[in-house]
Amino acid sequence: MGEHDRIRRVAERLRSAKCVAVMTGAGVSAESRIPTFRDAMTGLWASFDPQKLATPEAFDADPETVSRWYDFRREKCLEAIPNPGHEAITTMQQRLASQGGQLHVLTQNVDGLHQRAGSTGVVELHGSIMRWRCTKTGARITDLPIPLPTYPMPSASGGLLRPDVVWFGETLPEDALQAAFDAARSCDLFFSVGTSSMVYPAAGFAHLASKHGAMLVEVNPQRTELSMFADVVLTGPSGQVLPEVVRAAFGHTSE
Ligand code: OAD
């Protein structure tokens, strides 16, 4: 089966789907030039080890440096713009909604680009770099100025503000996990887009969906650990492949 036929097969399922889940990873933002963990370690930050900045222990030991690093990355994310891959996911969501179905966006990314592309109800499994959270009360704060006025930033209740992201060694937010489980169990089509599918539990949702009868579609320029389990592998950058899927299913790429 050629790439064209594979896209047609996915498009047919998409057209008749009642419930779709799309799991995304860093790859969906690659064409928006969001620096990955490693890419972010340039210039000022070249001598730091990301694994040592993205842990609760690192924040306890040196909240100033960790806050500065996250603020730098927050700025990079805000400068980036959503790409045609993000936009295609939003178009799919809107099309599904208009015919009484639903599409759940489940993301491991913290960059906020799905929301900025217009997707709604985005499930953020690893939190968001756009939000900060009080170390004392857990209260979440968005819309803080860039740069922050001071590092680290004190919270109103006498704690500190930490990035509202999931660090190495921390558990994923319960509500996001539950939403992802529900979506994986009930969808009839599951896309795994731009993720190496190596980090659990996020990678497990594709298997769960497949076990419950969903068609499993992978979109990635490279093979991953999930490829051999996928019903259809669409090889290429998501900014090209997803708009093609939308075109094949609905005849255009944007609302
Ligand atoms: P990875 O960096 O592990 O994988 C990115 C994937 O994107 C790879 O499989 C690439 O082949 C693929 N890719 C690259 N360019 C692409 C493009 N234009 N279109 C589609 N795919 C492309 O990123 P994640 O799988 O997201 O966790 O990693 C998951 C988690 O591991 C991250 O959220 C982070 C990290 O440790 C935490 O921060 C908790």
Side-chain angles (χ1 to χ4, degrees), residues 54 70 110 125-128 162-168 170-173:
Y70 274 89
V110 296
L125 288 158
H126 292 166
S128 171
R162 57 156 283 178
D164 191 22
V165 300
V166 177
W167 277 330
F168 293 108
E170 293 186 320
T171 52
L172 274 61

Side-chain angles (χ1 to χ4, degrees), residues 67-167:
S67 300
R68 280 186 192 280
W69 187 56
Y70 274 89
D71 218 22
F72 164 76
R73 291 176 58 213
R74 182 167 65 121
E75 189 170 3
K76 295 280 160 223
C77 290
L78 267 181
E79 280 167 11
I81 49 173
N83 68 59
H86 298 106
E87 284 159 9
I89 292 168
T90 299
T91 303
M92 288 192 234
Q93 188 179 53
Q94 291 169 347
R95 288 301 299 227
L96 264 284
S98 74
Q99 55 198 50
Q102 32 181 331
L103 181 146
H104 304 277
V105 182
L106 319 172
T107 189
Q108 298 167 81
N109 299 341
V110 296
D111 56 35
L113 286 178
H114 285 299
Q115 291 90 334
R116 284 174 53 208
S119 287
T120 56
V122 178
V123 176
E124 295 177 317
L125 288 158
H126 292 166
S128 171
I129 207 164
M130 297 300 155
R131 280 192 309 268
W132 300 78
R133 187 169 90 222
C134 173
T135 52
K136 260 196 169 165
T137 64
R140 295 182 161 87
I141 303 189
T142 44
D143 300 331
L144 284 177
I146 291 183
L148 287 180
T150 168
Y151 301 100
M153 182 78 180
S155 70
S157 34
L160 292 176
L161 291 183
R162 57 156 283 178
D164 191 22
V165 300
V166 177
W167 277 330

Side-chain angles (χ1 to χ4, degrees), residues 2-99:
E3 184 78 358
H4 183 71
D5 295 320
R6 283 194 287 272
I7 286 187
R8 231 185 34 210
R9 192 173 155 210
V10 175
E12 264 162 33
R13 177 65 74 104
L14 178 59
R15 250 197 316 268
S16 60
K18 285 268 163 285
C19 179
V20 175
V22 182
M23 167 68 75
T24 67
V28 80
S29 295
E31 289 151 275
S32 296
R33 305 172 71 168
I34 290 287
T36 63
F37 252 26
R38 303 244 154 241
D39 295 339
M41 309 314 290
T42 53
L44 221 54
W45 299 102
S47 61
F48 286 88
D49 175 356
Q51 301 251 3
K52 295 203 180 119
L53 287 174
T55 66
E57 293 76 21
F59 187 76
D60 286 344
D62 189 353
E64 178 185 340
T65 302
V66 173
S67 300
R68 280 186 192 280
W69 187 56
Y70 274 89
D71 218 22
F72 164 76
R73 291 176 58 213
R74 182 167 65 121
E75 189 170 3
K76 295 280 160 223
C77 290
L78 267 181
E79 280 167 11
I81 49 173
N83 68 59
H86 298 106
E87 284 159 9
I89 292 168
T90 299
T91 303
M92 288 192 234
Q93 188 179 53
Q94 291 169 347
R95 288 301 299 227
L96 264 284
S98 74
Q99 55 198 50

Side-chain angles (χ1 to χ4, degrees), residues 25-27 30-31 108 126 166 168 194-197 199 220-222 224 237-238:
E31 289 151 275
Q108 298 167 81
H126 292 166
V166 177
F168 293 108
T195 171
S196 56
S197 297
V199 177
N220 200 306
Q222 281 166 15
T224 73
S238 45

